[in-house]
């Protein structure tokens, strides 16, 4: 009898050890930016009680070195895992204009856009001159995108110093391109006053590192991967804007907001004053109300969890999310914000 009890106790101890190993293995299978972070893997998530459609929603983000793609991938994974049947897949894209155009063609159902670019599209202005796109709605504003003027030349201290320099101002017709033109204009400069290059974030960073360009405009949430990588390889500087020219810029283009990039955001780069636009998620009007509700619910009922996987999660804020006025909100988003006491405009 004693031998039987000893064998039974030994079996129970082995089972207990195996169970412990199983928990650790589950934690290690966590994917995304915090792969292997057992605290994140074991965190409880708030899940909507509203069933989603189960239809895969393509979420166009941005370049693979930009914040849109990094943060968008985290959000897509969180929604797909915890959205009660709402499924979102993040895909690389060429940014705001491309996202709106692809949504208009229904090759994507969701997209990240700059607040100024979505206003251009909705009103048929600038890069959408004569071709308005109005079959999309706001889901939520998520964070501010800083206009970052990057250089490796310590003698370029102001925007005025860009005159005659070789400067990347984003892809022709992109949101970055128009941001660059706006800021140059505030300093009484035009595109013809610089040797303009039309490159994305990654190519701009490579060109700066190789000395092929003198400066680059990057419009993305800081820290931006391309600039972080550059700053670890070479002395890097951000060109700041002064109060006088910020006021002039905002008078001409009121969608800009003053923003200070904190010291230490990039290695060796001091605090820098600039301007920013909002990073907004938009959806086609025909995406189901249930799916958009679940998207907003999952993001804003789990802000602490999302912040563990991406720094931009720390900037999520309901007041900011519900503050878009340029384009009306999707009914699914409006439903969620109404539950939180926010009355947002709809079509």
């Amino acid at each position: 009898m004693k031998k039987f009890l000893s064998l039974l106790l030994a079996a129970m101890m082995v089972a207990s050890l195996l169970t412990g190993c199983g928990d650790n293995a589950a934690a290690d299978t966590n994917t995304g930016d915090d792969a292997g972070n057992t605290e994140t893997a074991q965190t409880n998530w708030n899940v909507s009680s509203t069933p989603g459609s189960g239809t895969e929603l393509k979420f166009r983000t941005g370049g693979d070195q930009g914040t849109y793609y990094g943060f968008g991938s985290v959000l897509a994974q969180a929604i797909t895992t915890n959205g009660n049947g709402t499924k979102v897949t993040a895909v690389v894209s060429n940014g705001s204009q491309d996202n709106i155009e692809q949504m208009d063609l229904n090759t994507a159902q969701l997209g990240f856009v700059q607040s100024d670019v979505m206003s251009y599209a909705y009103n048929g202005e600038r890069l959408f001159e004569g071709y308005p796109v109005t079959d999309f709605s706001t889901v939520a504003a998520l964070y501010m995108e800083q206009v970052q003027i990057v250089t490796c030349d310590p003698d370029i201290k102001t925007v005025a110093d860009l005159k005659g320099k070789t400067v990347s101002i984003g892809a022709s017709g992109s949101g970055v391109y128009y941001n660059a033109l706006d800021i140059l204009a505030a300093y009484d400069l035009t595109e013809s006053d610089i040797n303009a290059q039309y490159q994305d974030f990654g190519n701009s960073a490579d060109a700066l590192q190789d000395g092929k360009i003198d400066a680059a405009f990057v419009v993305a949430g800081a820290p931006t991967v391309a600039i972080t990588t550059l700053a670890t390889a070479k002395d890097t500087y951000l060109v700041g804007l002064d109060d006088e020219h910020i006021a002039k810029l905002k008078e001409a283009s009121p969608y800009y907001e003053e923003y200070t990039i904190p010291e230490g955001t990039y290695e060796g780069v001091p605090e820098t004053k600039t301007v920013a636009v909002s990073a907004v998620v938009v959806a086609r009007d025909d995406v189901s109300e249930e799916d958009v509700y679940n998207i907003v619910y999952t993001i804003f009922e789990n802000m602490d969890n999302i912040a563990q996987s991406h720094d931009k999660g720390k900037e999520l804020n309901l007041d900011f999310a519900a503050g878009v006025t340029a384009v009306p909100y999707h009914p699914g988003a409006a439903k969620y914000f109404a539950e939180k006491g926010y009355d947002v405009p709809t079509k």
Side-chain angles (χ1 to χ4, degrees), residues 209-268:
Q209 185 169 340
D210 295 340
K212 295 179 179 178
I213 62 174
D214 299 304
F217 281 79
V218 173
V219 182
T224 306
V225 173
I227 304 175
T228 299
T229 303
L230 176 66
T232 60
K234 193 171 184 178
D235 287 344
T236 301
Y237 310 92
L238 292 180
V239 179
L241 308 181
D242 59 78
D243 292 340
E244 175 188 351
H245 290 93
I246 289 176
K248 185 176 178 181
L249 174 66
K250 290 179 67 176
E251 183 178 357
S253 306
Y255 40 74
Y256 289 106
E257 294 291 338
E258 183 177 318
Y259 192 100
T260 299
I261 299 174
E263 179 179 3
T265 299
Y266 301 109
E267 185 176 333

Side-chain angles (χ1 to χ4, degrees), residues 4-338:
F4 173 76
L5 289 173
S6 297
L7 289 171
L8 180 62
L9 286 170
M12 291 173 65
M13 290 177 65
V14 170
S16 175
L17 287 171
L18 288 173
T19 301
C21 290
D23 287 344
N24 288 336
D28 287 342
T29 61
N30 179 39
T31 59
D33 287 12
D34 278 313
N37 184 331
T38 55
E39 182 180 353
T40 301
Q42 296 171 3
T43 301
N44 292 323
W45 286 70
N46 294 314
V47 178
S48 165
S49 61
T50 301
S53 69
T55 301
E56 181 189 23
L57 303 174
K58 292 289 181 65
F59 178 21
R60 294 185 69 85
T61 57
D64 58 9
Q65 294 194 56
T67 307
Y68 277 0
Y69 180 69
F71 193 32
S73 297
V74 167
L75 296 178
Q77 181 183 348
I79 294 161
T80 299
T81 304
N82 306 286
N84 193 9
T86 295
K87 298 180 180 180
V88 176
T89 300
V91 295
V92 173
S93 79
N94 292 322
S96 296
Q97 179 184 6
D98 179 42
N99 295 347
I100 290 173
E101 290 174 345
Q102 293 302 317
M103 287 172 58
D104 191 40
L105 294 171
N106 202 19
T107 58
Q109 293 71 49
L110 303 165
F112 251 133
V113 295
Q114 291 179 201
S115 55
D116 54 332
V117 176
M118 75 176 190
S119 177
Y120 301 155
Y122 204 72
N123 296 302
E125 300 169 341
R126 284 195 158 182
L127 55 164
F128 293 91
E129 183 72 40
Y131 300 96
V133 180
T134 59
D135 57 351
F136 70 94
S137 301
T138 298
V139 174
L142 299 189
Y143 62 91
M144 296 298 285
E145 294 185 85
Q146 295 78 34
V147 178
Q148 303 170 76
I149 308 172
V150 191
T151 183
C152 294
D153 182 351
D155 292 330
I156 298 178
K157 300 183 184 300
T158 74
V159 174
D161 295 331
L162 296 178
K163 186 174 183 178
K165 303 293 187 181
T166 301
V167 184
S168 174
I169 56 174
S172 182
S174 67
V176 178
Y177 171 79
Y178 283 105
N179 296 145
L181 294 189
D182 288 343
I183 289 173
L184 289 172
Y187 285 78
D188 297 321
L189 297 174
T190 68
E191 191 174 353
S192 61
D193 289 317
I194 60 173
N195 177 21
Q197 304 295 305
Y198 308 95
Q199 301 172 331
D200 63 19
F201 300 165
N203 289 330
S204 292
D206 290 342
L208 281 167
Q209 185 169 340
D210 295 340
K212 295 179 179 178
I213 62 174
D214 299 304
F217 281 79
V218 173
V219 182
T224 306
V225 173
I227 304 175
T228 299
T229 303
L230 176 66
T232 60
K234 193 171 184 178
D235 287 344
T236 301
Y237 310 92
L238 292 180
V239 179
L241 308 181
D242 59 78
D243 292 340
E244 175 188 351
H245 290 93
I246 289 176
K248 185 176 178 181
L249 174 66
K250 290 179 67 176
E251 183 178 357
S253 306
Y255 40 74
Y256 289 106
E257 294 291 338
E258 183 177 318
Y259 192 100
T260 299
I261 299 174
E263 179 179 3
T265 299
Y266 301 109
E267 185 176 333
V269 178
E271 177 180 285
T272 306
K273 183 182 292 187
T274 185
V275 291
V277 292
S278 300
V280 182
V281 176
V282 296
R284 282 179 55 89
D285 290 342
D286 57 7
V287 175
S288 76
E289 181 175 322
E290 292 77 15
D291 280 331
V292 174
Y293 176 86
N294 285 346
I295 289 167
V296 183
Y297 183 100
T298 303
I299 293 171
F300 291 97
E301 294 296 321
N302 297 282
M303 290 185 281
D304 290 342
N305 293 343
I306 291 171
Q308 292 180 36
S309 295
H310 198 286
D311 282 344
K312 286 299 161 190
K314 299 172 185 175
E315 298 182 32
L316 294 170
N317 176 283
L318 276 173
D319 285 342
F320 182 68
V324 175
T325 58
V327 177
Y329 282 77
H330 192 284
K335 177 183 176 183
Y336 174 81
F337 288 123

